[in-house]
Amino acid sequence: MENVPAAFPATSIMWQGFSDFSAGAMGGTACVFAGQPLDTVKVKLQTFPTMYRGALDCLAKTIKEERLQGLYTGTVPALAANIAENAILFAFYGLCQKVVQNISGVDSVNNLSSLQSATAGSMAAFFSSIGLCPTELVKCRLQAIKEMAAEGRVATANIGPWGMTKQIVRQEGFRGLFQGMTSTWAREVPGYFFFFGGYELSRKLLTPAGKTKDDLGPMRLILCGGVAGSCLWASIYPIDVVKSRIQVYSLSGRQAGFMAVFLQILRTEGVRALFSGIGPCLIRTFPANGALFIAYEYSRKSLLQLGENLGL
């Protein structure tokens, strides 16, 4: 994902940044609508692994007890989370590519290696995590609120995104919105190294002879997006389980830190618990990240073309 496609050399740095930011927001929106149901199943299995026999059981029970809309619980904060994360992520990705370019002495971001692009993605994830953590906290709590109520951890499950946000601020203060910040950084920074590395490498391998990576069609972009997502989740899934536990369980009281929760899961539930829900997560990654990159790549090209036409 080069910072400035060769076809658009005249666009300004400011317009390139705006294009990255806007296209990232569009990609985040597409990602949510394509992958939200399986994300809900993933979070339920991560936080209450003994309540369900597996992904299909969780899916069936959720539809039976909460109807189809139950799979879309937390969609509003999920949209906020993904739009904020991907807009910031892709905007900083373009900037970090330039930083890596300058440090490495490469003549153009178009010539960065997959490893160098992965490094830029990892750097960008540090900044996007700050926008992601509060919105994902609300999303995860809403996705598992029924299970929390069933175990008597909370008084009621009848609460929406805005009500949950107000409750967090009222009971825990503004800092409460950043429950799980450390585990979010621990997940995002290494995760997006593999995400962007996997994406750029698969794009390179799937580019036909005589063409550029920007010429890839929708099906190949979906495949590249799926590879990117699979690389991300395979590398950091246990960290995501810990993050989800901290964010969801903190609804009933402040939780211990990342390492304490990680060791407690290992001690009381075993290694398998750290991979609860990985099945639907890996299945989800192809449609969700495929939609993300199709929306990102095509909207970014359109915005850069618009900028060149307008002389921006």
Side-chain angles (χ1 to χ4, degrees):
M1 203 180 325
E2 296 81 47
N3 191 37
V4 189
F8 308 107
T11 52
S12 69
I13 295 296
M14 185 172 293
W15 185 257
Q16 292 161 26
F18 172 78
S19 298
D20 283 329
F21 183 88
S22 301
M26 294 177 193
T29 302
C31 181
V32 170
F33 284 113
Q36 182 67 11
L38 286 175
D39 184 67
T40 297
V41 172
K42 176 195 74 122
V43 171
K44 287 177 180 289
L45 289 174
Q46 284 179 328
T47 49
F48 295 94
T50 60
M51 196 172 285
Y52 303 101
R53 293 193 300 273
L56 289 177
D57 181 53
C58 180
L59 183 69
K61 285 183 177 177
T62 300
I63 294 173
K64 180 180 178 181
E65 296 172 8
E66 305 174 42
R67 295 178 294 180
L68 193 61
Q69 68 187 41
L71 293 174
Y72 288 89
T73 300
T75 296
V76 172
L79 276 171
N82 275 270
I83 290 172
E85 178 188 24
N86 285 290
I88 298 170
L89 177 69
F90 283 102
F92 273 96
Y93 180 57
L95 293 173
C96 292
Q97 278 187 311
K98 285 198 169 294
V99 171
V100 173
Q101 174 201 343
N102 292 332
I103 292 173
S104 60
V106 177
D107 60 345
S108 168
V109 292
N110 295 342
N111 296 324
L112 290 177
S113 68
S114 298
L115 179 61
Q116 289 166 331
S117 292
T119 302
S122 182
M123 292 164 61
F126 175 85
F127 301 99
S128 63
S129 298
I130 299 170
L132 172 67
C133 186
T135 47
E136 191 162 67
L137 171 68
V138 174
K139 175 189 75 77
C140 288
R141 286 188 176 185
L142 289 174
Q143 286 176 318
I145 192 75
K146 299 284 185 184
E147 289 77 9
M148 291 286 285
E151 289 199 352
R153 293 172 181 253
V154 294
T156 179
N158 298 319
I159 189 169
W162 181 237
M164 178 66 74
T165 304
K166 289 193 295 183
Q167 178 179 304
I168 293 169
V169 174
R170 185 173 61 250
Q171 295 179 352
E172 306 169 48
F174 181 75
R175 288 183 61 187
L177 291 170
F178 291 89
Q179 283 271 356
M181 186 73 251
T182 301
S183 47
T184 300
W185 270 322
R187 180 190 72 174
E188 299 288 290
V189 172
Y192 276 98
F193 176 89
F194 292 101
F195 182 80
F196 281 105
Y199 181 68
E200 294 295 349
L201 181 60
S202 58
R203 280 216 303 167
K204 181 178 179 180
L205 294 174
L206 289 174
T207 299
K211 295 196 174 185
T212 70
K213 291 187 285 186
D214 291 312
D215 296 325
L216 290 180
M219 292 309 298
R220 294 193 183 201
L221 278 178
I222 289 174
L223 182 57
C224 291
V227 170
S230 298
C231 290
L232 183 151
W233 290 112
S235 64
I236 51 82
Y237 195 81
I239 299 173
D240 188 60
V241 172
V242 175
K243 180 200 71 68
S244 293
R245 294 283 184 102
I246 290 172
Q247 291 185 320
V248 171
Y249 290 178
S250 63
L251 185 59
S252 60
R254 189 165 185 85
Q255 299 298 299
F258 175 82
M259 283 305 300
V261 173
F262 176 77
L263 293 173
Q264 182 184 17
I265 293 172
L266 277 180
R267 186 170 56 251
T268 60
E269 302 174 52
V271 175
R272 286 188 62 184
L274 291 171
F275 293 91
S276 296
I278 195 170
C281 178
L282 292 177
I283 294 170
R284 166 188 173 272
T285 194
F286 280 87
N289 288 295
L292 165 68
F293 280 111
I294 286 176
Y296 173 79
E297 294 287 2
Y298 283 99
S299 59
R300 184 173 184 273
K301 286 178 185 178
S302 298
L303 287 167
L304 288 171
Q305 181 67 69
L306 177 64
E308 185 179 36
N309 292 341
L310 296 176
L312 297 173

